[in-house]
Amino acid sequence: MAVERTLVIVKPDAVKKNAIGDIVRILQENDLKLLAIKMVHLSKEQAKKFYIVHKDRPFYDELTDFMSSGPCVPMVFEGEDAIARVREIIGATDPAKAAEGTIRKKYGTDVGRNAVHASDSHESAAYEIPFFFNALEIHE
């Protein structure tokens, strides 16, 4: 197992539910170390740039509208196999199909409003982390 870094975003729906602290706590209780955190309000253009990988998907406009609808909280976590472990902790994209005890099961509403985003690969983490954080903002 390798130590990895991954990006997690508390999406606008979970920010409105005051779930930021609970989500951070859940991840930290799973031996993931918080290295960076901030609150931002993405513009539609910034959301489109962040989710560019989905530009040809039918949900792209709805996703970018939602992600620019209110503040969100991007964070960098580090730990053993962090990318896969975080994906397991947050649960399936559809909260209705997510396992009991996962973040999306607890805080998500539907596929579009599913409380959190997390990097799904080393490649996406390598793109997503510097999208929100420069080297001076990530603390070991």
Side-chain angles (χ1 to χ4, degrees), residues 99-120:
E100 286 301 324
T102 61
I103 291 171
R104 286 179 171 157
K105 186 70 164 185
K106 187 170 184 178
Y107 298 106
T109 305
D110 56 44
V111 175
R113 286 165 169 57
N114 60 9
V116 289
H117 164 94
S119 302
D120 62 3

mmCIF file of all heavy atoms in Angstrom, residues 99-120:
data_model
loop_
_atom_site.group_PDB
_atom_site.id
_atom_site.type_symbol
_atom_site.label_atom_id
_atom_site.label_comp_id
_atom_site.label_asym_id
_atom_site.label_seq_id
_atom_site.Cartn_x
_atom_site.Cartn_y
_atom_site.Cartn_z
ATOM 1 N N ALA A 99 -23.858 2.064 0.492
ATOM 2 C CA ALA A 99 -23.896 1.196 1.674
ATOM 3 C C ALA A 99 -24.237 2.012 2.919
ATOM 4 O O ALA A 99 -23.904 3.197 3.027
ATOM 5 C CB ALA A 99 -22.552 0.497 1.847
ATOM 6 N N GLU A 100 -24.896 1.351 3.872
ATOM 7 C CA GLU A 100 -25.194 1.974 5.163
ATOM 8 C C GLU A 100 -23.889 2.456 5.789
ATOM 9 O O GLU A 100 -22.865 1.790 5.703
ATOM 10 C CB GLU A 100 -25.883 0.977 6.095
ATOM 11 C CG GLU A 100 -27.328 0.697 5.745
ATOM 12 C CD GLU A 100 -28.232 1.930 5.743
ATOM 13 O OE1 GLU A 100 -28.041 2.833 6.589
ATOM 14 O OE2 GLU A 100 -29.119 1.986 4.874
ATOM 15 N N GLY A 101 -23.943 3.611 6.426
ATOM 16 C CA GLY A 101 -22.776 4.151 7.107
ATOM 17 C C GLY A 101 -21.877 5.003 6.235
ATOM 18 O O GLY A 101 -20.962 5.633 6.747
ATOM 19 N N THR A 102 -22.121 5.020 4.916
ATOM 20 C CA THR A 102 -21.291 5.850 4.041
ATOM 21 C C THR A 102 -21.774 7.305 4.083
ATOM 22 O O THR A 102 -22.917 7.596 4.455
ATOM 23 C CB THR A 102 -21.290 5.344 2.589
ATOM 24 O OG1 THR A 102 -22.627 5.388 2.076
ATOM 25 C CG2 THR A 102 -20.743 3.917 2.496
ATOM 26 N N ILE A 103 -20.890 8.201 3.693
ATOM 27 C CA ILE A 103 -21.203 9.633 3.702
ATOM 28 C C ILE A 103 -22.376 9.939 2.772
ATOM 29 O O ILE A 103 -23.295 10.682 3.143
ATOM 30 C CB ILE A 103 -19.950 10.456 3.338
ATOM 31 C CG1 ILE A 103 -18.922 10.358 4.479
ATOM 32 C CG2 ILE A 103 -20.306 11.918 3.037
ATOM 33 C CD1 ILE A 103 -17.551 10.941 4.162
ATOM 34 N N ARG A 104 -22.373 9.371 1.578
ATOM 35 C CA ARG A 104 -23.466 9.664 0.642
ATOM 36 C C ARG A 104 -24.796 9.089 1.122
ATOM 37 O O ARG A 104 -25.844 9.691 0.889
ATOM 38 C CB ARG A 104 -23.116 9.171 -0.756
ATOM 39 C CG ARG A 104 -22.075 10.064 -1.427
ATOM 40 C CD ARG A 104 -21.708 9.559 -2.785
ATOM 41 N NE ARG A 104 -20.889 10.526 -3.502
ATOM 42 C CZ ARG A 104 -20.070 10.196 -4.492
ATOM 43 N NH1 ARG A 104 -19.933 8.930 -4.866
ATOM 44 N NH2 ARG A 104 -19.374 11.123 -5.110
ATOM 45 N N LYS A 105 -24.769 7.938 1.782
ATOM 46 C CA LYS A 105 -26.004 7.363 2.323
ATOM 47 C C LYS A 105 -26.585 8.293 3.382
ATOM 48 O O LYS A 105 -27.783 8.522 3.438
ATOM 49 C CB LYS A 105 -25.731 5.974 2.910
ATOM 50 C CG LYS A 105 -26.976 5.255 3.371
ATOM 51 C CD LYS A 105 -27.809 4.844 2.175
ATOM 52 C CE LYS A 105 -28.846 3.807 2.520
ATOM 53 N NZ LYS A 105 -29.543 3.350 1.306
ATOM 54 N N LYS A 106 -25.703 8.835 4.204
ATOM 55 C CA LYS A 106 -26.138 9.680 5.319
ATOM 56 C C LYS A 106 -26.536 11.093 4.878
ATOM 57 O O LYS A 106 -27.520 11.640 5.374
ATOM 58 C CB LYS A 106 -25.026 9.758 6.368
ATOM 59 C CG LYS A 106 -25.427 10.474 7.633
ATOM 60 C CD LYS A 106 -24.388 10.308 8.725
ATOM 61 C CE LYS A 106 -24.873 10.963 10.016
ATOM 62 N NZ LYS A 106 -23.936 10.797 11.106
ATOM 63 N N TYR A 107 -25.784 11.699 3.953
ATOM 64 C CA TYR A 107 -25.983 13.108 3.624
ATOM 65 C C TYR A 107 -26.476 13.387 2.205
ATOM 66 O O TYR A 107 -26.898 14.500 1.911
ATOM 67 C CB TYR A 107 -24.692 13.900 3.862
ATOM 68 C CG TYR A 107 -24.259 13.866 5.296
ATOM 69 C CD1 TYR A 107 -23.179 13.094 5.695
ATOM 70 C CD2 TYR A 107 -24.955 14.578 6.265
ATOM 71 C CE1 TYR A 107 -22.780 13.043 7.030
ATOM 72 C CE2 TYR A 107 -24.569 14.534 7.597
ATOM 73 C CZ TYR A 107 -23.486 13.762 7.971
ATOM 74 O OH TYR A 107 -23.108 13.708 9.286
ATOM 75 N N GLY A 108 -26.406 12.401 1.317
ATOM 76 C CA GLY A 108 -26.821 12.620 -0.063
ATOM 77 C C GLY A 108 -28.334 12.546 -0.229
ATOM 78 O O GLY A 108 -29.028 11.909 0.561
ATOM 79 N N THR A 109 -28.829 13.190 -1.272
ATOM 80 C CA THR A 109 -30.254 13.193 -1.577
ATOM 81 C C THR A 109 -30.544 12.340 -2.804
ATOM 82 O O THR A 109 -31.459 11.532 -2.810
ATOM 83 C CB THR A 109 -30.733 14.644 -1.849
ATOM 84 O OG1 THR A 109 -30.375 15.450 -0.724
ATOM 85 C CG2 THR A 109 -32.230 14.701 -2.065
ATOM 86 N N ASP A 110 -29.758 12.551 -3.862
ATOM 87 C CA ASP A 110 -29.929 11.806 -5.114
ATOM 88 C C ASP A 110 -28.606 11.804 -5.870
ATOM 89 O O ASP A 110 -27.616 12.318 -5.365
ATOM 90 C CB ASP A 110 -31.077 12.385 -5.957
ATOM 91 C CG ASP A 110 -30.908 13.870 -6.263
ATOM 92 O OD1 ASP A 110 -29.781 14.293 -6.625
ATOM 93 O OD2 ASP A 110 -31.892 14.617 -6.157
ATOM 94 N N VAL A 111 -28.605 11.242 -7.066
ATOM 95 C CA VAL A 111 -27.365 11.131 -7.846
ATOM 96 C C VAL A 111 -26.721 12.499 -8.068
ATOM 97 O O VAL A 111 -25.501 12.630 -8.001
ATOM 98 C CB VAL A 111 -27.633 10.436 -9.209
ATOM 99 C CG1 VAL A 111 -26.384 10.438 -10.071
ATOM 100 C CG2 VAL A 111 -28.100 9.015 -8.989
ATOM 101 N N GLY A 112 -27.512 13.513 -8.315
ATOM 102 C CA GLY A 112 -26.970 14.847 -8.565
ATOM 103 C C GLY A 112 -26.540 15.574 -7.306
ATOM 104 O O GLY A 112 -25.563 16.311 -7.299
ATOM 105 N N ARG A 113 -27.282 15.361 -6.237
ATOM 106 C CA ARG A 113 -26.998 16.020 -4.956
ATOM 107 C C ARG A 113 -26.566 14.943 -3.960
ATOM 108 O O ARG A 113 -27.331 14.533 -3.100
ATOM 109 C CB ARG A 113 -28.230 16.787 -4.473
ATOM 110 C CG ARG A 113 -28.441 18.047 -5.286
ATOM 111 C CD ARG A 113 -29.800 18.666 -5.110
ATOM 112 N NE ARG A 113 -29.918 19.996 -5.685
ATOM 113 C CZ ARG A 113 -29.702 20.346 -6.948
ATOM 114 N NH1 ARG A 113 -29.287 19.451 -7.799
ATOM 115 N NH2 ARG A 113 -29.862 21.574 -7.369
ATOM 116 N N ASN A 114 -25.298 14.521 -4.138
ATOM 117 C CA ASN A 114 -24.824 13.369 -3.377
ATOM 118 C C ASN A 114 -23.750 13.718 -2.343
ATOM 119 O O ASN A 114 -22.945 12.886 -1.972
ATOM 120 C CB ASN A 114 -24.354 12.262 -4.320
ATOM 121 C CG ASN A 114 -23.225 12.687 -5.223
ATOM 122 O OD1 ASN A 114 -22.649 13.754 -5.058
ATOM 123 N ND2 ASN A 114 -22.900 11.854 -6.180
ATOM 124 N N ALA A 115 -23.768 14.947 -1.880
ATOM 125 C CA ALA A 115 -23.005 15.428 -0.726
ATOM 126 C C ALA A 115 -21.505 15.640 -0.941
ATOM 127 O O ALA A 115 -20.962 16.624 -0.452
ATOM 128 C CB ALA A 115 -23.219 14.523 0.498
ATOM 129 N N VAL A 116 -20.824 14.734 -1.633
ATOM 130 C CA VAL A 116 -19.374 14.860 -1.759
ATOM 131 C C VAL A 116 -18.871 14.415 -3.129
ATOM 132 O O VAL A 116 -19.475 13.579 -3.788
ATOM 133 C CB VAL A 116 -18.613 14.048 -0.678
ATOM 134 C CG1 VAL A 116 -18.755 14.678 0.685
ATOM 135 C CG2 VAL A 116 -19.066 12.615 -0.652
ATOM 136 N N HIS A 117 -17.751 14.981 -3.496
ATOM 137 C CA HIS A 117 -16.977 14.549 -4.668
ATOM 138 C C HIS A 117 -15.669 14.008 -4.112
ATOM 139 O O HIS A 117 -15.150 14.524 -3.124
ATOM 140 C CB HIS A 117 -16.683 15.747 -5.579
ATOM 141 C CG HIS A 117 -15.603 15.472 -6.576
ATOM 142 N ND1 HIS A 117 -15.872 15.038 -7.845
ATOM 143 C CD2 HIS A 117 -14.241 15.558 -6.468
ATOM 144 C CE1 HIS A 117 -14.706 14.853 -8.489
ATOM 145 N NE2 HIS A 117 -13.714 15.170 -7.671
ATOM 146 N N ALA A 118 -15.126 12.976 -4.758
ATOM 147 C CA ALA A 118 -13.789 12.499 -4.401
ATOM 148 C C ALA A 118 -13.074 12.050 -5.663
ATOM 149 O O ALA A 118 -13.691 11.476 -6.571
ATOM 150 C CB ALA A 118 -13.877 11.344 -3.400
ATOM 151 N N SER A 119 -11.778 12.303 -5.719
ATOM 152 C CA SER A 119 -10.969 11.858 -6.855
ATOM 153 C C SER A 119 -11.160 10.354 -7.049
ATOM 154 O O SER A 119 -11.201 9.600 -6.075
ATOM 155 C CB SER A 119 -9.491 12.146 -6.598
ATOM 156 O OG SER A 119 -9.265 13.519 -6.359
ATOM 157 N N ASP A 120 -11.253 9.924 -8.314
ATOM 158 C CA ASP A 120 -11.492 8.501 -8.583
ATOM 159 C C ASP A 120 -10.256 7.766 -9.093
ATOM 160 O O ASP A 120 -10.312 6.568 -9.349
ATOM 161 C CB ASP A 120 -12.666 8.319 -9.540
ATOM 162 C CG ASP A 120 -12.429 8.943 -10.902
ATOM 163 O OD1 ASP A 120 -11.324 9.475 -11.155
ATOM 164 O OD2 ASP A 120 -13.349 8.904 -11.734
#
